[in-house]
Amino acid sequence: MMKLITFCTLVLCSVGTVMAQSVEPKATFENMVYDFGEIAEDGGKVSHAFKVKNIGSKPLIINNVQASCGCTTPEWPKSPILPGGEGTITATFNPYGRVGDFNKSITVFTNDETKRYVLRIVGKVNPKELSMEDKYPYEFGNLRLK
């Protein structure tokens, strides 16, 4: 009987040790979607910084970040985020030539168990005010034509 109790105690201690060592890095985001609202086509690039925190017990590594199109440029920390530490992933959107609603994704690849997260930026691009030259591109003396 004593051997059985000793064996069970050793098994439980071993399982507890293995479970304690299996805690990995874990990313958590303050928000996963950001709405720019209405922005002007000729207002220039707009950016948002997504805050990411490592709530795991090992360093979080952001391996790569990919945007869904060339109009969005991501920037991210290249060094590991230590346990309890924070970092930012910045998404910059260029509205020029993209009039109307937009919904762009930014995929974040990490070393945690989830492996990837999808962040989104949304909004609406209002068209720029057209100049007389834009409206009537052909000029004949004092007269302009379409």
Side-chain angles (χ1 to χ4, degrees), residues 8-23:
C8 289
T9 304
L10 286 174
V11 168
L12 288 175
C13 289
S14 299
V15 168
T17 304
V18 169
M19 294 292 282
Q21 291 176 350
S22 68
V23 177

PDB file of all heavy atoms in Angstrom, residues 8-23:
ATOM      1  N   CYS A   8       1.795   7.078  -6.693  1.00  0.00           N
ATOM      2  CA  CYS A   8       0.805   8.104  -7.053  1.00  0.00           C
ATOM      3  C   CYS A   8       1.336   9.502  -6.776  1.00  0.00           C
ATOM      4  O   CYS A   8       1.124  10.432  -7.566  1.00  0.00           O
ATOM      5  CB  CYS A   8      -0.498   7.877  -6.279  1.00  0.00           C
ATOM      6  SG  CYS A   8      -1.401   6.415  -6.838  1.00  0.00           S
ATOM      7  N   THR A   9       2.025   9.690  -5.683  1.00  0.00           N
ATOM      8  CA  THR A   9       2.604  10.984  -5.341  1.00  0.00           C
ATOM      9  C   THR A   9       3.634  11.397  -6.384  1.00  0.00           C
ATOM     10  O   THR A   9       3.655  12.554  -6.830  1.00  0.00           O
ATOM     11  CB  THR A   9       3.250  10.939  -3.942  1.00  0.00           C
ATOM     12  OG1 THR A   9       2.277  10.524  -2.989  1.00  0.00           O
ATOM     13  CG2 THR A   9       3.808  12.298  -3.546  1.00  0.00           C
ATOM     14  N   LEU A  10       4.496  10.484  -6.796  1.00  0.00           N
ATOM     15  CA  LEU A  10       5.500  10.783  -7.817  1.00  0.00           C
ATOM     16  C   LEU A  10       4.854  11.138  -9.153  1.00  0.00           C
ATOM     17  O   LEU A  10       5.294  12.060  -9.839  1.00  0.00           O
ATOM     18  CB  LEU A  10       6.460   9.598  -7.978  1.00  0.00           C
ATOM     19  CG  LEU A  10       7.468   9.401  -6.858  1.00  0.00           C
ATOM     20  CD1 LEU A  10       8.254   8.107  -7.078  1.00  0.00           C
ATOM     21  CD2 LEU A  10       8.412  10.579  -6.778  1.00  0.00           C
ATOM     22  N   VAL A  11       3.814  10.413  -9.516  1.00  0.00           N
ATOM     23  CA  VAL A  11       3.110  10.683 -10.773  1.00  0.00           C
ATOM     24  C   VAL A  11       2.498  12.081 -10.737  1.00  0.00           C
ATOM     25  O   VAL A  11       2.620  12.862 -11.679  1.00  0.00           O
ATOM     26  CB  VAL A  11       2.041   9.603 -11.065  1.00  0.00           C
ATOM     27  CG1 VAL A  11       1.126  10.041 -12.189  1.00  0.00           C
ATOM     28  CG2 VAL A  11       2.717   8.294 -11.403  1.00  0.00           C
ATOM     29  N   LEU A  12       1.836  12.426  -9.653  1.00  0.00           N
ATOM     30  CA  LEU A  12       1.215  13.742  -9.524  1.00  0.00           C
ATOM     31  C   LEU A  12       2.254  14.857  -9.553  1.00  0.00           C
ATOM     32  O   LEU A  12       2.046  15.901 -10.183  1.00  0.00           O
ATOM     33  CB  LEU A  12       0.372  13.822  -8.250  1.00  0.00           C
ATOM     34  CG  LEU A  12      -0.934  13.036  -8.260  1.00  0.00           C
ATOM     35  CD1 LEU A  12      -1.607  13.095  -6.900  1.00  0.00           C
ATOM     36  CD2 LEU A  12      -1.865  13.572  -9.332  1.00  0.00           C
ATOM     37  N   CYS A  13       3.379  14.658  -8.898  1.00  0.00           N
ATOM     38  CA  CYS A  13       4.450  15.672  -8.910  1.00  0.00           C
ATOM     39  C   CYS A  13       5.022  15.829 -10.315  1.00  0.00           C
ATOM     40  O   CYS A  13       5.302  16.952 -10.760  1.00  0.00           O
ATOM     41  CB  CYS A  13       5.554  15.299  -7.927  1.00  0.00           C
ATOM     42  SG  CYS A  13       5.057  15.486  -6.205  1.00  0.00           S
ATOM     43  N   SER A  14       5.189  14.724 -11.012  1.00  0.00           N
ATOM     44  CA  SER A  14       5.726  14.773 -12.372  1.00  0.00           C
ATOM     45  C   SER A  14       4.767  15.509 -13.303  1.00  0.00           C
ATOM     46  O   SER A  14       5.177  16.343 -14.111  1.00  0.00           O
ATOM     47  CB  SER A  14       5.971  13.360 -12.908  1.00  0.00           C
ATOM     48  OG  SER A  14       6.907  12.695 -12.118  1.00  0.00           O
ATOM     49  N   VAL A  15       3.486  15.219 -13.208  1.00  0.00           N
ATOM     50  CA  VAL A  15       2.484  15.885 -14.047  1.00  0.00           C
ATOM     51  C   VAL A  15       2.469  17.374 -13.735  1.00  0.00           C
ATOM     52  O   VAL A  15       2.409  18.209 -14.628  1.00  0.00           O
ATOM     53  CB  VAL A  15       1.082  15.246 -13.843  1.00  0.00           C
ATOM     54  CG1 VAL A  15       0.000  16.106 -14.479  1.00  0.00           C
ATOM     55  CG2 VAL A  15       1.062  13.842 -14.410  1.00  0.00           C
ATOM     56  N   GLY A  16       2.539  17.727 -12.464  1.00  0.00           N
ATOM     57  CA  GLY A  16       2.552  19.134 -12.067  1.00  0.00           C
ATOM     58  C   GLY A  16       3.766  19.861 -12.612  1.00  0.00           C
ATOM     59  O   GLY A  16       3.667  21.001 -13.074  1.00  0.00           O
ATOM     60  N   THR A  17       4.921  19.219 -12.597  1.00  0.00           N
ATOM     61  CA  THR A  17       6.137  19.817 -13.127  1.00  0.00           C
ATOM     62  C   THR A  17       6.043  20.020 -14.628  1.00  0.00           C
ATOM     63  O   THR A  17       6.390  21.073 -15.157  1.00  0.00           O
ATOM     64  CB  THR A  17       7.365  18.934 -12.788  1.00  0.00           C
ATOM     65  OG1 THR A  17       7.428  18.753 -11.378  1.00  0.00           O
ATOM     66  CG2 THR A  17       8.645  19.572 -13.281  1.00  0.00           C
ATOM     67  N   VAL A  18       5.537  19.023 -15.332  1.00  0.00           N
ATOM     68  CA  VAL A  18       5.387  19.125 -16.781  1.00  0.00           C
ATOM     69  C   VAL A  18       4.394  20.235 -17.132  1.00  0.00           C
ATOM     70  O   VAL A  18       4.617  21.027 -18.040  1.00  0.00           O
ATOM     71  CB  VAL A  18       4.946  17.782 -17.393  1.00  0.00           C
ATOM     72  CG1 VAL A  18       4.523  17.944 -18.842  1.00  0.00           C
ATOM     73  CG2 VAL A  18       6.068  16.763 -17.266  1.00  0.00           C
ATOM     74  N   MET A  19       3.291  20.327 -16.409  1.00  0.00           N
ATOM     75  CA  MET A  19       2.276  21.353 -16.663  1.00  0.00           C
ATOM     76  C   MET A  19       2.856  22.746 -16.412  1.00  0.00           C
ATOM     77  O   MET A  19       2.591  23.679 -17.153  1.00  0.00           O
ATOM     78  CB  MET A  19       1.051  21.137 -15.777  1.00  0.00           C
ATOM     79  CG  MET A  19       0.289  19.874 -16.075  1.00  0.00           C
ATOM     80  SD  MET A  19      -0.512  19.896 -17.656  1.00  0.00           S
ATOM     81  CE  MET A  19      -1.915  20.896 -17.258  1.00  0.00           C
ATOM     82  N   ALA A  20       3.658  22.897 -15.380  1.00  0.00           N
ATOM     83  CA  ALA A  20       4.233  24.198 -15.056  1.00  0.00           C
ATOM     84  C   ALA A  20       5.225  24.633 -16.122  1.00  0.00           C
ATOM     85  O   ALA A  20       5.356  25.813 -16.418  1.00  0.00           O
ATOM     86  CB  ALA A  20       4.916  24.149 -13.684  1.00  0.00           C
ATOM     87  N   GLN A  21       5.915  23.701 -16.734  1.00  0.00           N
ATOM     88  CA  GLN A  21       6.910  24.038 -17.747  1.00  0.00           C
ATOM     89  C   GLN A  21       6.290  24.271 -19.122  1.00  0.00           C
ATOM     90  O   GLN A  21       6.936  24.778 -20.005  1.00  0.00           O
ATOM     91  CB  GLN A  21       7.948  22.914 -17.843  1.00  0.00           C
ATOM     92  CG  GLN A  21       8.820  22.831 -16.615  1.00  0.00           C
ATOM     93  CD  GLN A  21       9.778  21.658 -16.691  1.00  0.00           C
ATOM     94  OE1 GLN A  21       9.667  20.815 -17.562  1.00  0.00           O
ATOM     95  NE2 GLN A  21      10.720  21.620 -15.764  1.00  0.00           N
ATOM     96  N   SER A  22       5.024  23.901 -19.299  1.00  0.00           N
ATOM     97  CA  SER A  22       4.426  24.020 -20.617  1.00  0.00           C
ATOM     98  C   SER A  22       3.778  25.387 -20.866  1.00  0.00           C
ATOM     99  O   SER A  22       3.162  25.585 -21.886  1.00  0.00           O
ATOM    100  CB  SER A  22       3.397  22.909 -20.828  1.00  0.00           C
ATOM    101  OG  SER A  22       2.299  23.122 -19.965  1.00  0.00           O
ATOM    102  N   VAL A  23       3.888  26.329 -19.922  1.00  0.00           N
ATOM    103  CA  VAL A  23       3.323  27.656 -20.117  1.00  0.00           C
ATOM    104  C   VAL A  23       4.170  28.372 -21.170  1.00  0.00           C
ATOM    105  O   VAL A  23       5.370  28.519 -21.022  1.00  0.00           O
ATOM    106  CB  VAL A  23       3.290  28.443 -18.791  1.00  0.00           C
ATOM    107  CG1 VAL A  23       2.767  29.838 -19.022  1.00  0.00           C
ATOM    108  CG2 VAL A  23       2.445  27.706 -17.772  1.00  0.00           C
TER     109      VAL A  23
END
